[in-house]
Amino acid sequence: MFLREPERPTTGDWGFTSCFTFGSSSRLVVIWLKRKSCCLLLYLEDGRRSTCRDEDAVKAECGAETSGSASAAVMERFHWVQHRCQQLLLRGSERGRYAAPEGLAKSPSQDNPYCSYSSGKRRAVLSRHGPHQQESEAILRNYKGNAIRTTKYSLLTFIPMNLFEQFHRAANLYFLFLALLNWVPVVEAFQKEITMIPLLVVLIVIGIKDALEDYRRYLFDKKVNNNVVQVFCGKQKAYVERRWKNVQVGDFVRLSCNEIIPADMLLLFSSDPRGVCYIETANLDGETNLKQKQVVSDLPFQGEFTPESFHSRIECENPNNDLSRFRGYMEHSNGARVGLHNNNLLLRSCTIRNTETVVGIVVYAGHETKAMMNNSGPRYKRSRLEKRLNTDVLWCVLLLVVMCLTAAVGHGLWLKDHRDPVFQIDGETSPALAGFYVFWTMIIVLQVLIPISLYVSIEIVKLGQVYFIQNDLALYNEQLDSRIQCRALNITEDLGQIQYLFSDKTGTLTENKMVFRRCSIYGVEYPHEENARRLDVYEEEANAAGPSMTLRSGCSGKSRSCRSLSCTRSSVSLHTLTAESEEEEEEEQTSTHILSRTSAFLNHMARDVIPDPELMRKFHCVHSPESSLASSSSLELTYITDFFLALAICNSVVVSSPRHRQDAECEAAAPLKSLEDIKRMFHHFGFSPLSALSSLSPPQIKSSPNNLSSKPCTHGRTGASTGSSPPSTTEDPESNLEGSDPEGRGQGADAGQLKDREADDDVSTAKVEAADPPGADDDLVYEAESPDEAALVHAARAYSCTLRGRSAQSLLVDLPGVGPLAVQLLHILPFDSNRKRMSIVVRHPITGQVVVYTKGADCVIMDLAERPTGLELSAREIYTHIREQTQRHLDSYASEGLRTLCIAKKVLEEEEYEVWLKKQLLAESSIENREELMLESAQRLETNLTLLGATGIVDRLQEEVPETIEALQRAGVKVWVLTGDKQETAINIAHSCKLLCPNDQLLTVNCDSKDACVALLAELKHQHGGAGGGSAAAGGPEDGLPSSILVVDGRTLGWALQDELSSHFLELSSACKAVICCRSTPLQKSQVVRLIRDQLRVITLAVGDGANDVSMIQTADVGIGISGQEGMQAVMSSDFAISRFKHLSKLLLVHGHWCHCRLANMVLYFIYKNVMYGNLLFWYQFFCGFSGSVMTNSWVLILFNLLFTSVPPLIYGVLDQDASADALMCLPEVYTHTSKVYAPRVFWITLLDAFYQSLVCFFVPYFALAGSEVAELSLGSSINASALLIILLHQVLESHTLTWIHAVVLLLSGASYFGFVLLFSVVCVTCSPPTNPVGVETLQMSQPLFYTICALTTVVALLPRLFFRVLHNTLHPSAVLKSAQMDAVDSEMYRRRMERWNQHEAGVRPDLRPSAASAASCRT
Amino acid sequence: MMASSYNAKEEDGHHSGAATHGVVGAAKSKKPDNTAFKQQRLPAWQPILTAGTVLPAFFVIGLIFIPIGIGLYVTSNNIKEFEIDYTGADINSPCYNCAQNLSWNSTSQCHCSLNFTLTQPFESTVFMYYGLSNFYQNHRRYVKSRDDSQLNGDVSSLMDPNKECEPYRKNDGLPIAPCGAIANSLFNDTLTLYYIDSNGTKNPVSMVKKGIAWWTDKHVKFRNPGANDNLTVAFQGTTKPINWRNPVYELDPSDPDNNGFINEDLIVWMRTAALPTFRKLYRIIQKKSGTTPTLSSGNYLLNITYNYPVLSFAGHKRMILSTISWMGGKNPFLGIAYMTVGSICFFLGVVLLIIHHKYDTRNTSADIPN
């Protein structure tokens, strides 16, 4: 995606780095350390570097900076730097290397080598194999080794530490309180051990979970620690294999391609001649584009690096977690200091790519590495349902207190009437005090009322739910081989209550597989019809055959076992169990994402752009002109050339290609260029099309043919030039003006001359080169930050304008007929979302001019490309025409739903460039408001652009997006599209994804001022408030009225989000069916979400795929990341990660609904169960003088909840389906009823029912046995058995589906109870005083009375619920029920469909679209 | 499928290149298994509770419950039961004097007799109960106040009873056997029954005092301490409960099998009643052979050795004679409840039938076109 913010500074921005170019040959790099010292690196013309350190000067300078105003300081610094440079340049001519002055060389840290690092600010690192063995040993001993231990416990500390952690939970404290309470003799209710059981069970369950979790971590640590890496061994003088855990600070580590970096280390050597190496940081941040790292500059040795010769001392900051910052310096044995920055540091757990061998010295190891310090645990969100649950639990607490108070008062009164009877043991206690004691006793007795174990159960249920969500085939993406990832484990039920969905457009609704579709250059549209056909064909193919060619040859797959070395998860909740268990999967998933992500750029669709024949002809006639001149003017050809050059280079694409290819290519390219050829080409360009530009700006050609041809081999490498040698094309400015001619020539003359020249020239060479097939280097791999960049580069390549390599200083581009050309890269003004464009400043390879190529959003570029001044009238007219035409084309592109970009250029005169450069450098080197200055500087440059043309990039809609959106809207979910795209594109996409129906009313709110915005909002609200509100209340599209869609642009949105307008905006938007916010910034996206979430108190869901959606995803109640083309930021910050938008419908409509219903029902059932059982004990108090006596054996009492009836609710919470998946997909309307499952009314009804059932369950046995010789335990036996039957059968009534699992669990639960009590009554003779159950149950169960009572109780207890449920279902059948009924009717059809499905699965090619199949069957 | 196999090749190709550390886990597709369980498509029974589906259940329940209710009711009505209160709370009662002067400490025995008439003969075996009212044998502290291991014959517990027995654990430094409040409050009235025949002579009704306790209690839960038969020796070093007149080994000196802890009156008492008004089995009057009723109708005399004070907590004492059936003693509740519930179910079934006719058909017919 194009519109996005820069993600992180790429350079080492510690302190700051300034770069000055003096004249054309030397550059001065000033590296500022923080306040203390400063390093000057001077790149002299011969490639050597000079280093100098001047502390005094810096000190003075820093003082000035702190005291003076910012700009003054900046200016002053600039002058000072200039001054220093002059000196250095002078001296540099005498001596190549600068040692620091004698007095300054001795830094305090050298005098006392231990003071600096022991002071805690910095650390010193020495080579382990250097000359000062002892000193280094002494220093390095203090640093941690590379072994990591992410486990929380060891075998010894597990029990105490785990217990300590667990008692941080309120629930456990409650249990502990109860257990302790039971130890107070006067309130003791049960045997002392028994109240410990719940606590012990919870502690053990959680403890086992924690132990397993920790064990997994231990295994993972072990695996990581035992990875093998090559480390230099001082004794053997060679690299030997060593385990990661044995790597220490100061070791030299050699890594080859695709190896994972074991520790943070400084890059000292790279096999790459330019001293760079590429790393992939996917393990750290999920970004897969390669990052370039640089060997520490100015190392004292040349050539191959040998660890023995490394005697330098490294001082760097103490370990911290800032991934983008590293400061330090390296002090060589001769006292010279070199600054170190982030670009020198290889971070642990990144992967080396595209580089044969690198050597580094470890500076941070193990837990001190930046990767390890950046760990964070899993996300923990609290779901809406859990919040509701908490209030209900509070009600339960209140109920408990009321009951206990009743018992206390009752006991007091009872005691008053019974003074000192024979059964009264402790007659002396006053009734009040006894009542007080009874209160506490009752708290122990009725502890089941508080469903504390519910929290544990909920966690277990959610694990089950997550398991099923992750195992859903419909949420599996075959193409990416990725399942849904549930990253937040405890908000599954929120998925069932979504009311607002905020969606990103690009990559979320669309594929984000950018494919070059068409373009317009010089006001001429090239429709690329072949290309369009190809895209159609591809689409069909994709639908028919599925993806089979989406993989690339790369190394991403290899590293999967070592991914995410950082895995400290710390949490005490059960959630982490799956987090852990899924971790490996996630890792693999990550790797496959990368695999597929990169492959997406390469798939044929994006890569094989079929050139438009007309354009191809025009472009190639640049060098085979005899065919072209008839049809196109040379100016047009210039435009075309520039256009494609801009496409190829104006980007941040990194080219990587297998090495052997490069070498081969190098050889192939070398003989291609002879001086003659170049000259010929040069002439050709000099006089033909490019000279037409001379009317716009005088060409200043500096390129030297000699240089171009002298280093073709270097160019053939990954980059264009080695780091040590300055870009060659800029040398010798005087010698190569032969082809250029300032200003004087008219176009006609050009053409004429050109003709002559062409006639003379040997054109065949050019032709051969034009034919140079791009297919030969097919395995160039472009790694782009955004897919549209890649699309443009591929498009350029289709026209034989191939980007071959990129380095810090230059770009290597193939031009048709010219071959590899080094384009000197002067500046990149990277994309930012404010400017909405990026620019690249290069020295034109052919004309030698300084050219600015700008690529950006059309509105911005069109504004900037007003009309270049100083044109002749005719040229101006032509230009105006081009602009108008291009604008027309842009509009048509936008209405086609294409993403439009404009390409413009600007030729800078040398002086102009110098002026700008100064300011730019100033901006770069400023500290205080660097951002603004940079922005200003960029804006200064990007003016008076010449519009070259525009591109239209197709971003196909993902499959089934319209269906999904329709389903979601039918489900009452309001869909908002928040996009950074332009309004037309957004509306167009909205049309194509059926968000916008043809007869919908479009309310567009674009205002230029806040006042206008106020007025417009008020008016629209007035117009649509009444009708719209009505239709919104009616709840959907079926009312037939045209609904309105609100379209807001970013600027208006900014005002609308302000406090005083937000209410208007809210009202208006809630009256609309959908809202489209275009041109919105990431911040605005999150603001919108927050506004809706907080003001309307609804549950919001945000779905997005890019870094620009992260804030929105994090703000929303449920954040969903789409793992697509744009890296992993969105996924990393999301709660759920899916791979296609269409998965949303199944995720919300089915899983969300299920999860919510299941959990809500389970919670209600759990509360019911506890209240029902707890009340039984309470009713008994009326017959035992409120003494806190229980009629059951205390073991049975405690285990009843903990064991006998604990599993059925879990099964209920995991497996219940109130309607089948198909029915839910067919009837999205059901979704709106989801939240009613756990309405407060339902809670109270449940509570009431629990009271009723407990009354029945107690009093039926009571009346049946009253007055008889019934013993305490016998009464309890029939009550317990009835309660068990009621509770289990209640669940059967409540369950919507019953599978064999339900049956088994229910039977086992019943059997476990009866088995336990029977066994207990046989075995336990004196084991459970005072209520020894021996003989009780056996006797009871041998009597028919027992069964008579149980049957009656069960029927009477369940009768009302059954009857009212039946009445309700019959008289007011809910949509869910209807769908279930429909299911029953359709069961035959369903069975057939299942068969079909299974057949499909058994077949060769799996069905990719189960939901489509079900959708089809819905309609039948 | 194809994608995954391709993947594997990739992996292999790169193993040779640079992999020094172990790459485990060959590329396997993460495609979830298409099993009925994992895809949540297990064949399930969906109980859709509507009038149409449920109304048969109501009728069935009604049809089953009503006969059961009738059966229970008839059974309960066939049970003969006679109950007489001998508390002596009423001044007219023969036991009034005994009741008034009684306390746990009184040493002299007080006797009283009650006359009563059985209007109907009791044909089968008759169970004689004593009933207590307002006696909270289920009080939490009371229930706990016992030592089961002591009662189970554990010698160490005999000499050092459980703390729960406090304050009836030790007396004068000697452990109480059996300790605790339950044993201490043992019902110690003696009831004897005489049949007064037509010429006024008192014929004692023979009553069996064994077999009144649960078999498990008698044979498993309660045991006398020590191996020797001499209970006096076995209980040496212990003292009697405070309220008792005789030590435990003199509960039934005549029958060693009913003496000490295994005395059945003690065992019955030790099984605490669930409710404050309860009865406990006292004696069994065995059915005579032949056709003579166990207790023929006529006048009877109940002789009471009145030892047990209940007036202090407004309690009442009763003597109950009852035959029993398969469902226990006389209790019409279950029969009536079954009949009522059965009728209600039947009625609701009819209601549902009407509702079903009115609504259910319409709904299903409306749904099918969907």
Side-chain angles (χ1 to χ4, degrees), chain A residues 1-3 514 516 518-520 643 647 650 786-793 831 836-838 854-862 886 889-890 893-894 898-904 947-953 981-982 985 1079:
Chain A
M1 181 165 169
F2 187 69
L3 292 171
M514 303 294 169
F516 181 82
R518 59 208 302 185
C519 65
S520 153
F643 181 81
L647 286 195
C650 184
S786 70
D788 45 6
E789 286 199 335
L792 292 181
V793 177
F831 176 81
K836 293 183 173 132
R837 58 185 179 262
M838 78 167 285
T854 305
K855 173 186 80 175
D858 48 0
C859 60
V860 183
I861 301 288
M862 288 308 255
T886 311
H889 298 147
L890 281 174
Y893 290 175
L898 300 181
R899 296 164 66 81
T900 52
L901 284 175
C902 280
I903 313 287
L947 183 69
L948 293 174
T951 57
I953 298 173
D981 259 331
K982 57 185 294 190
T985 318
R1079 291 288 186 221

Side-chain angles (χ1 to χ4, degrees), chain A residues 417-432:
Chain A
D417 292 345
H418 295 83
R419 295 309 298 171
D420 204 19
V422 65
F423 48 82
Q424 182 70 32
I425 290 171
D426 192 13
E428 288 86 54
T429 324
S430 75

Side-chain angles (χ1 to χ4, degrees), chain A residues 28-288:
Chain A
L28 178 70
V29 177
V30 187
I31 298 160
W32 303 83
L33 294 174
K34 52 174 182 185
R35 308 272 157 139
K36 274 290 166 203
S37 55
C38 149
C39 248
L40 295 183
L41 299 181
L42 184 60
Y43 286 78
L44 294 175
E45 51 190 280
D46 58 354
R48 285 171 300 151
R49 269 162 281 178
S50 273
T51 312
C52 177
R53 187 178 45 79
D54 190 337
E55 284 192 351
D56 287 341
V58 177
K59 266 180 205 160
E61 204 285 317
C62 291
E65 180 206 305
T66 44
S67 60
S69 74
S71 61
V74 167
M75 283 312 294
E76 192 178 336
R77 191 189 309 128
F78 182 66
H79 292 311
W80 177 80
V81 166
Q82 265 186 322
H83 174 67
R84 287 297 299 168
C85 292
Q86 298 290 322
Q87 286 183 326
L88 281 167
L89 278 170
L90 281 173
R91 287 201 273 172
S93 57
E94 299 158 23
R95 294 191 289 168
R97 168 172 301 277
Y98 261 80
E102 275 300 302
L104 296 166
K106 271 206 171 298
S107 69
S109 66
Q110 253 181 338
D111 287 327
N112 181 0
Y114 298 100
C115 79
S116 57
Y117 55 83
S118 57
S119 69
K121 293 281 183 195
R122 289 190 270 172
R123 70 157 51 187
V125 177
L126 289 166
S127 157
R128 280 197 176 271
H129 316 292
H132 316 291
Q133 289 279 347
Q134 281 179 333
E135 188 198 1
S136 64
E137 280 300 315
I139 295 173
L140 299 175
R141 198 184 302 134
N142 299 325
Y143 304 142
K144 286 187 184 156
N146 199 35
I148 55 163
R149 203 179 76 97
T150 54
T151 54
K152 264 190 278 182
Y153 319 107
S154 68
L155 273 181
L156 275 178
T157 60
F158 177 75
I159 288 174
M161 279 184 68
N162 188 251
L163 283 182
F164 179 75
E165 292 224 342
Q166 288 203 38
F167 280 116
H168 284 292
R169 303 183 104 198
N172 291 345
L173 282 178
Y174 174 77
F175 280 131
L176 183 70
F177 166 70
L178 288 179
L180 290 180
L181 202 60
N182 203 38
W183 282 81
V184 179
V186 282
V187 298
E188 176 187 347
F190 307 130
Q191 290 154 274
K192 296 186 173 59
E193 317 84 80
I194 281 183
T195 33
M196 312 268 280
I197 292 176
L199 182 66
L200 278 180
V201 167
V202 171
L203 289 184
I204 288 173
V205 166
I206 307 256
I208 288 174
K209 185 216 68 168
D210 285 347
L212 281 178
E213 222 170 82
D214 220 42
Y215 183 64
R216 289 178 61 90
R217 276 197 289 261
Y218 165 74
L219 288 184
F220 190 73
D221 288 350
K222 209 169 109 180
K223 200 170 92 187
V224 168
N225 281 335
N226 286 333
N227 281 340
V228 175
V229 72
Q230 293 213 317
V231 176
F232 185 78
C233 172
K235 286 190 189 119
Q236 299 172 25
K237 303 280 180 210
Y239 289 100
V240 293
E241 300 216 323
R242 216 190 274 178
R243 295 179 191 282
W244 276 30
K245 62 182 171 195
N246 297 328
V247 174
Q248 281 168 307
V249 175
D251 275 336
F252 294 97
V253 176
R254 187 169 75 184
L255 297 165
S256 39
C257 186
N258 298 334
E259 269 192 277
I260 293 177
I261 301 164
D264 288 358
M265 50 193 223
L266 274 178
L267 182 60
L268 295 178
F269 167 77
S270 166
S271 59
D272 188 289
R274 289 168 300 141
V276 297
C277 100
Y278 293 95
I279 61 168
E280 187 188 274
T281 56
N283 286 338
L284 280 184
D285 53 17
E287 290 182 32
T288 52

Side-chain angles (χ1 to χ4, degrees), chain A residues 616-674:
Chain A
M616 194 65 172
R617 194 180 56 75
K618 283 185 186 170
F619 188 39
H620 282 266
C621 73
V622 171
H623 31 261
S624 53
E626 73 280 1
S627 60
S628 68
L629 288 176
S631 59
S632 29
S633 74
S634 56
L635 185 61
E636 183 176 358
L637 297 184
T638 320
Y639 265 69
I640 292 172
T641 313
D642 271 330
F643 181 81
F644 283 111
L645 193 61
L647 286 195
I649 65 172
C650 184
N651 51 46
S652 54
V653 170
V654 174
V655 188
S656 60
S657 58
R659 257 203 108 64
H660 60 93
R661 276 294 314 159
Q662 292 164 12
D663 295 341
E665 180 191 307
C666 185
E667 281 159 26
L672 205 84
K673 290 284 148 216
S674 69

Side-chain angles (χ1 to χ4, degrees), chain A residues 951-963:
Chain A
T951 57
I953 298 173
V954 155
D955 187 7
R956 272 195 312 138
L957 214 57
Q958 286 186 14
E959 71 271 22
E960 286 175 50
V961 167
E963 291 89 339

Side-chain angles (χ1 to χ4, degrees), chain A residues 188 483 1158 1264 1332 1348, chain B residues 30 39-40 140 148 331 338:
Chain A
E188 176 187 347
R483 299 182 189 186
R1158 286 166 176 177
N1332 282 313
T1348 328
Chain B
K30 283 196 293 296
Q39 298 310 315
Q40 307 191 58
R140 180 171 58 93
D148 276 320
N331 190 339
Y338 260 94

Side-chain angles (χ1 to χ4, degrees), chain B residues 318-333:
Chain B
R318 288 162 297 146
M319 191 284 298
I320 302 132
L321 295 169
S322 172
T323 60
I324 60 166
S325 68
W326 57 271
M327 51 151 299
K330 191 180 182 78
N331 190 339
F333 169 78

Side-chain angles (χ1 to χ4, degrees), chain A residues 785-827:
Chain A
E785 271 174 38
S786 70
D788 45 6
E789 286 199 335
L792 292 181
V793 177
H794 282 296
R797 191 172 162 195
Y799 287 94
S800 310
C801 183
T802 314
L803 177 68
R804 285 200 169 272
R806 157 186 295 271
S807 74
Q809 283 87 26
S810 67
L811 295 151
L812 188 68
V813 185
D814 268 355
L815 276 181
V818 186
L821 271 182
V823 182
Q824 189 195 353
L825 176 61
L826 299 176
H827 284 280

